[in-house]
Amino acid sequence: MRVNGMKTNQVIEVALKAGEILLTGGAEIYRVEDTVTRICGSYNVRAECFVLPTGIFITVIDSEGNPVSIIRRIRKRTVNLEQVEKVNSFSRSLKDRTLSYQEAMAGLKDIAALDGYGYVLKLIVAGIAPFVYALLFRGTVLEACVSFLIGIVIYAIKEKITQAGVFEFFEYFASGVAAGALSTLAIKLFPFMDLYRIIIASIIILLPGLAITNAMKDALYGDIVSSMFRFTEAVFVAAAVGVGVAIALSVGLRWI
């Protein structure tokens, strides 16, 4: 069956690709479901969509009136709000002008290839956040500078572990260990600084703020299962960071 020059299975493939980009980019569940059904609707394809943080389920009615279900497994989730915004604009633009299969997939592949800002800029931002929070917690400029350097090192370590393909929670555990160890080392060199202020400021970049926010938004939209999943994930991330810091401190405080 063709709709506006595109086969039904091609419409589904475009919708799945858009949903996958959104879900891996950190979008809320309701946004993914709305985008998938919006894209299918733009090509006059009636579809039902059910999304979990780990998968997208789509059911459409074929030309003979039979339901066809397709699943896309999502194994990796990051934060890329630029991709989320681009896919949102893409899905809404189809209402005014439907694209061919080749044009739609080419546009989505370009969006999926967006890698955000450069690595050096990400490192600098990873240091600026702890620097600002250290001052916000009434720390000294020296404590803020130390937090700045620790934030950069933590981000670099986390990115290296991510590239190695190790499971997600180990990234946060190792980053927590690094934060505790580096903060302890800084106190060894400059005993007049506040250890806990530096640690708290340094691990700010590791806290799962987006996951908690999305969990609350999913709950408000009635996606209770997804909300509980995201909230549990956020708790495990925070626990991994906390355990890493605690282990580093249990060893480091004996050394100071």
Side-chain angles (χ1 to χ4, degrees):
M1 177 181 178
R2 289 182 174 271
V3 184
N4 294 341
M6 189 186 296
K7 294 181 180 179
T8 302
N9 65 312
Q10 292 177 328
V11 175
I12 298 172
E13 189 174 346
V14 170
L16 272 174
K17 183 65 176 178
E20 181 183 5
I21 295 173
L22 286 175
L23 203 53
T24 56
E28 309 91 326
I29 296 300
Y30 80 88
R31 189 185 304 276
V32 180
E33 292 179 343
D34 176 72
T35 299
V36 170
T37 55
R38 184 188 297 273
I39 291 175
C40 291
S42 298
Y43 291 94
N44 297 320
V45 173
R46 185 161 58 93
E48 289 290 338
C49 179
F50 177 69
V51 178
L52 293 173
T54 55
I56 303 174
F57 306 80
I58 300 179
T59 297
V60 300
I61 307 300
D62 64 15
S63 57
E64 298 178 355
N66 299 315
V68 178
S69 296
I70 301 178
I71 301 173
R72 177 66 56 86
R73 183 76 163 85
I74 305 299
R75 300 186 182 277
K76 182 180 179 181
R77 296 181 304 279
T78 59
V79 178
N80 193 324
L81 299 183
E82 183 182 9
Q83 289 182 343
V84 174
E85 190 276 329
K86 294 289 186 182
V87 174
N88 273 340
S89 300
F90 169 84
S91 65
R92 283 159 175 75
S93 67
L94 293 178
K95 184 178 179 180
D96 300 322
R97 175 178 174 267
T98 54
L99 303 175
S100 67
Y101 172 75
Q102 290 76 14
E103 291 174 327
M105 290 302 293
L108 289 174
K109 287 179 180 178
D110 289 341
I111 295 173
L114 294 175
D115 195 27
Y117 299 102
Y119 182 70
V120 175
L121 182 57
K122 290 179 180 178
L123 284 178
I124 295 174
V125 173
I128 290 177
F131 180 90
V132 173
Y133 272 97
L135 296 178
L136 184 63
F137 297 147
R138 299 182 180 180
T140 63
V141 175
L142 181 58
E143 291 172 342
C145 291
V146 170
S147 300
F148 175 87
L149 295 176
I150 294 177
I152 290 177
V153 174
I154 289 174
Y155 183 83
I157 291 174
K158 185 177 180 298
E159 285 296 297
K160 289 296 183 181
I161 296 176
T162 301
Q163 293 173 6
V166 182
F167 64 94
E168 180 182 9
F169 296 115
F170 181 77
E171 302 172 12
Y172 291 96
F173 169 76
S175 299
V177 172
L182 292 173
S183 299
T184 303
L185 176 61
I187 296 301
K188 182 69 174 179
L189 298 175
F190 306 100
F192 54 86
M193 294 192 302
D194 188 291
L195 172 63
Y196 299 105
R197 184 181 290 125
I198 294 174
I199 290 177
I200 294 172
S202 299
I203 64 175
I204 283 294
I205 60 174
L206 301 174
L207 299 183
L210 181 62
I212 295 175
T213 301
N214 283 346
M216 297 302 296
K217 293 184 72 173
D218 287 341
L220 292 174
Y221 276 87
D223 297 312
I224 304 301
V225 175
S226 300
S227 175
M228 293 299 296
F229 180 96
R230 291 185 187 273
F231 185 77
T232 303
E233 181 182 31
V235 170
F236 273 102
V237 167
V241 174
V243 170
V245 172
I247 291 176
L249 288 181
S250 64
V251 176
L253 290 177
R254 299 175 184 177
W255 176 55
I256 295 179

